[in-house]
Amino acid sequence: MSAAAATGRLLPSLPRSAWIVLLSAVTAILWIAFAGQYTLPHDNDAATFETINDIREWIDANRNSNIILVVFVTGIRTLITAIFNVFLAVLQGLTWPGLITITAALGLVIGGLRLAALTGLGVLAFGVLGLWNASVDTLALTFTAVLLSLAIGIPLGIVAGRNDRFLAAIQPILDTMQIMPTFAYLAPFALFFLIGPATAAIVTMIYSVPPAIRITALGIRSVAPATVEAATSMGSTARQLLAKVQLPMARQTIVLGINQTIMMALSMVVITALVDAPGLGKDIIRSFQKNDVGQAFDAGLAIVIMAIILDRLTSRASERVDPARRATRPTPPGQTRRFAIVGLVASIVAVAIGTFVLGGGDFPDEIRFTFRGPVNDVTGWVTFNFYFLTEAIKNGVSYGLLNPLQTILTSAPWWLVVATIGGIAFLLSGLRPAVIAIVCLLVTIRIELWQHSMETLTMVLVATGLTLVIGGAFGVLSARSDRFAAFLRPLLDGAQTLPAFVYLVPAVALFGPTRFTGIVAAIIYAIPPVIRLVEIGIRTVPVAVIEAATAAGSTPRQLLWKVQLPMARPALLVAANQGIILVLAMVVVGGLVGAQALGYDVVAGFARRDFFGEGLAAGIAIVLLGIMLDRITQGAGTRQSTAEARPAVARRGA
């Protein structure tokens, strides 16, 4: 039975909008009657936090004596640290001239002269910015995490691509891993594996392995059934079918999965600076601590360049393994071999020069350049001259939206908030999402983080609302103007490539370290997929429907509000789902720049040992909020699709 049918049987036959109005009215009356009662104020010394701290003390005391901790935890940590050290030693041993030349040679072989120039100059920029060692550390950590992700993700993806039951079993796990904000991974693994590169690689692997599994499974399942049947009928064993048919035909998709894994890993590696991971993330955190936007800009620029280099190399590699693309754009005979020989010779010479002539030294100071001074000057000028505007925006959102909503959620009785959110989930999505939402809220109460969870929920709802309004407007403009869409597309491509930390830089520059800064960064981070989904939803409305509405005399405004937006509602609900999840992830990261509530709790848990229990509990609360919001919005989309499909089935039956 569908969620829509279940909801319809449990409720009298009234329009859903009427039930929502009734629920809102009852909630308002009960809030007026019980405001300030049955609240759950925050307590930094809550028993839950102390219990977690006691567990940490036990683990620390038994780390070298307990057989499980010694064999598994310490063993895994030692192995991953060794892998990281190998990558780091190789990258450092290549020397800076060698690494620049090798990267350019890879670009030459994979994509030609233009890609070679882009990659070579990009790696050179790490040294010019004065961030060579930090960039090499970040690359080594990224490669370690990607190696772990692919070693686990590709085999599991192959199994999931060939076994429906296994795919169905791991889907909820992958969903949970992808909706969990990145902060939530840090504290529990730091508890067992301590801080350092091993923990950073493990949490990055957990964050980046789902796309490797999903996309590999998609590639295996995308192989034409007729091809599989033909190979089977010719006597191929299961192993031969995989090695000779499915993997070769799915390799373009698998390479695309590697690309997505690398991008996800790079995004997470920067955040793992909170667990003392080496690399560019440390430079960004130090800049936030000193409110030095210029230093953050240099490090953020290096991260962007690194993301572009890795993205272009892997994207071009996926194109080269596509047989159809090779047929339409064939490579001249012998060109790849000549490029490979030239690149190999140049790389050997560059490594030899770096090792024997330069002695493998650091990147020379004489050719360094920093944007720190100019960026700080511009930031100061903007802050001084546009203070009235930035303060007006910040105060308008804070006093007009944030403060009233936070007051309502934190002063309302806990049972009223639970009942209201459960009722909204039931009306929008059905019984199961409502039960999940209620359970998530009750567990939040049990771990004694109710008030901070409501404060975080406030920021998420406000940021999501602003994201949907702004992203919806730009999505509509893109759908109705090809020229505007073409202008916006490279900006969206670039924005979706950047790691999350980078979005904090412009937010801090404009608004300083406040909780509103986290909201601004969340909007910037979440808005690209919202724009794309809204545009796709409107553009996929059937042309015949639009022509019929136009012939009936609809104006462009009526066409948008009466036809396109209603018919694009499934895509809009997906946009809302993605916006909520991305906003939640970024609002929590905003704890680094003055955002309050759960994000601050997580950051404080790493900064102070006595706050570790609260930080770990806050990570759990963040996961609960993410699951709750994801299930509500996903269920609403499913219910809407079911409700729209039912009349169509009835018409076909008639």
Side-chain angles (χ1 to χ4, degrees), residues 163-185:
N163 188 310
D164 292 337
R165 288 185 178 180
F166 182 76
L167 178 63
I170 66 171
Q171 284 283 21
I173 300 173
L174 298 180
D175 289 342
T176 303
M177 292 168 69
Q178 289 198 295
I179 66 174
M180 286 171 65
T182 52
F183 263 29
Y185 294 99

Side-chain angles (χ1 to χ4, degrees), residues 217-433:
L218 175 64
I220 297 295
R221 289 176 175 270
S222 298
V223 176
T227 304
V228 175
E229 291 172 0
T232 304
S233 65
M234 295 177 66
S236 297
T237 64
R239 179 177 295 181
Q240 291 172 329
L241 181 65
L242 175 65
K244 302 293 185 181
V245 178
Q246 291 174 313
L247 284 180
M249 297 191 71
R251 60 185 175 184
Q252 183 198 7
T253 305
I254 293 174
V255 174
L256 179 61
I258 295 173
N259 170 273
Q260 292 301 302
T261 301
I262 291 174
M263 291 297 101
M264 298 282 280
L266 183 58
S267 175
M268 184 63 186
V269 155
V270 182
I271 296 176
T272 57
L274 290 170
V275 290
D276 201 35
L280 295 166
K282 282 192 171 182
D283 293 271
I284 293 182
I285 290 179
R286 282 194 293 265
S287 67
F288 290 148
Q289 292 171 343
K290 298 183 295 185
N291 197 21
D292 188 343
V293 178
Q295 182 181 355
F297 182 87
D298 282 347
L301 181 60
I303 294 168
V304 171
I305 293 171
M306 189 178 297
I308 292 172
I309 291 171
L310 295 175
D311 177 65
R312 294 298 183 270
L313 285 173
T314 50
S315 297
R316 192 70 181 90
S318 70
E319 294 174 1
R320 285 183 63 86
V321 299
D322 181 9
R325 192 173 184 87
R326 286 205 307 267
T328 57
R329 295 175 57 182
T331 303
Q335 176 178 293
T336 300
R337 181 179 298 176
R338 290 194 298 271
F339 282 170
I341 294 173
V342 170
L344 179 62
V345 172
S347 300
I348 293 173
V349 172
V351 172
I353 292 174
T355 303
F356 300 108
V357 178
L358 301 177
D362 293 335
F363 196 90
D365 295 335
E366 294 78 11
I367 56 176
R368 290 185 180 179
F369 176 81
T370 178
F371 292 96
R372 184 175 183 177
V375 168
N376 283 335
D377 292 340
V378 171
T379 301
W381 184 86
V382 170
T383 302
F384 180 78
N385 290 277
F386 290 91
Y387 179 80
F388 71 95
L389 180 60
T390 56
E391 281 296 296
I393 295 173
K394 179 170 65 177
N395 292 335
V397 173
S398 297
Y399 293 108
L401 296 174
L402 280 172
N403 291 349
L405 182 57
Q406 181 171 307
T407 299
I408 291 172
L409 290 176
T410 55
S411 65
W414 64 266
W415 49 263
L416 179 59
V417 176
V418 172
T420 302
I421 293 178
I424 292 172
F426 179 69
L427 292 173
L428 293 179
S429 307
L431 181 60
R432 185 174 181 180

